[in-house]
Amino acid sequence: MKIHPLILSFFILLTVNSLNAKDFHSISINKIGGKKAMNMNDYKGKTLLVVNIATQCGYTPQLKGLEQLYQKYKSNGLEILGVPSNEFGGQTPEENTEVKKFCELNYGVTFPLTEKVMVKGEDKHPMIAELISQSSDKSEIAWNFEKFLVDSHGKLIARYSSKEKPLDSELEKTIAETLKKNH
């Protein structure tokens, strides 16, 4: 049986692309403090909201709403992961331990935080790069508190701008619908 060269080329391209595709659940990132890595595999079967956070941003009060969202839906399978970065106007100048303390003391944050990482440019963390690659909008993160909603299989459901508030929003509506489908 002879295979047409165009069909063969298509299958080769498809195979190469699938080999290069990153599985979200195979990525790990250090917890704040850097002592232990968290593996995204730990979030398999859960709905995950990844948010790049900052301590001195006009959007920083969203931490309170994110914690309220976490408390409201965690028993239904929602996890939130705060990813601090200092790339937008130097709005997270603190060291990791101070970032954690700030979030806990000022906003009651109990959801997990990662160490500070790069979220834009060539040196962005692989987890952020994977989320952007799954997005229909392939642009870099524009500012602090951009949000990525990931389903239980590690696939991006939606990407939200910094302006999207955690509660009483399209984001919360999508989270509720996603959690309802999973249970």
Side-chain angles (χ1 to χ4, degrees):
M1 179 170 133
K2 196 167 189 173
I3 299 176
H4 190 278
L6 283 176
I7 294 173
L8 183 59
S9 296
F10 172 76
F11 283 112
I12 290 171
L13 184 61
L14 188 64
T15 303
V16 169
N17 283 341
S18 67
L19 291 173
N20 289 334
K22 190 109 173 141
D23 175 15
F24 179 78
H25 288 126
S26 70
I27 299 170
S28 64
I29 188 167
N30 286 338
K31 289 182 180 182
I32 204 155
K35 293 185 171 121
K36 186 177 178 194
M38 36 173 110
N39 192 311
M40 293 305 103
N41 193 48
D42 296 341
Y43 296 104
K44 210 177 247 187
K46 304 250 184 193
T47 299
L48 177 65
L49 182 64
V50 177
V51 184
N52 72 303
I53 66 167
T55 58
Q56 298 179 22
C57 176
Y59 293 115
T60 299
Q62 285 190 21
L63 288 168
K64 182 178 181 183
L66 289 166
E67 180 60 27
Q68 290 170 332
L69 193 67
Y70 182 57
Q71 293 302 322
K72 185 174 182 178
Y73 293 105
K74 72 178 182 178
S75 64
N76 295 325
L78 176 67
E79 292 290 337
I80 296 178
L81 185 59
V83 183
S85 75
N86 194 36
E87 296 175 79
F88 304 101
Q91 295 182 345
T92 313
E94 304 90 348
E95 295 298 322
N96 285 320
T97 52
E98 286 79 31
V99 171
K100 183 177 185 200
K101 187 182 290 185
F102 173 88
C103 292
E104 291 171 350
L105 292 176
N106 293 295
Y107 295 100
V109 167
T110 62
F111 56 82
L113 302 173
T114 71
E115 67 181 357
K116 282 179 15 180
V117 297
M118 302 290 284
V119 296
K120 66 179 188 173
E122 290 182 16
D123 294 329
K124 70 178 146 283
H125 191 278
M127 178 181 66
I128 300 299
E130 174 60 19
L131 292 171
I132 291 171
S133 78
Q134 288 189 34
S135 176
S136 60
D137 174 5
K138 305 286 188 226
S139 65
E140 295 279 5
I141 289 176
W143 199 253
N144 299 311
F145 289 88
E146 195 156 316
K147 301 156 193 78
F148 296 87
L149 186 59
V150 180
D151 73 11
S152 59
H153 303 290
K155 300 297 177 207
L156 183 69
I157 297 170
R159 180 178 178 176
Y160 297 91
S161 76
S162 305
K163 293 176 184 175
E164 185 77 19
K165 293 181 180 174
L167 296 169
D168 300 321
S169 65
E170 188 62 35
L171 169 63
E172 183 178 11
K173 181 181 171 192
T174 305
I175 288 170
E177 290 170 357
T178 302
L179 292 170
K180 190 181 270 187
K181 288 178 193 174
N182 289 342
H183 286 90

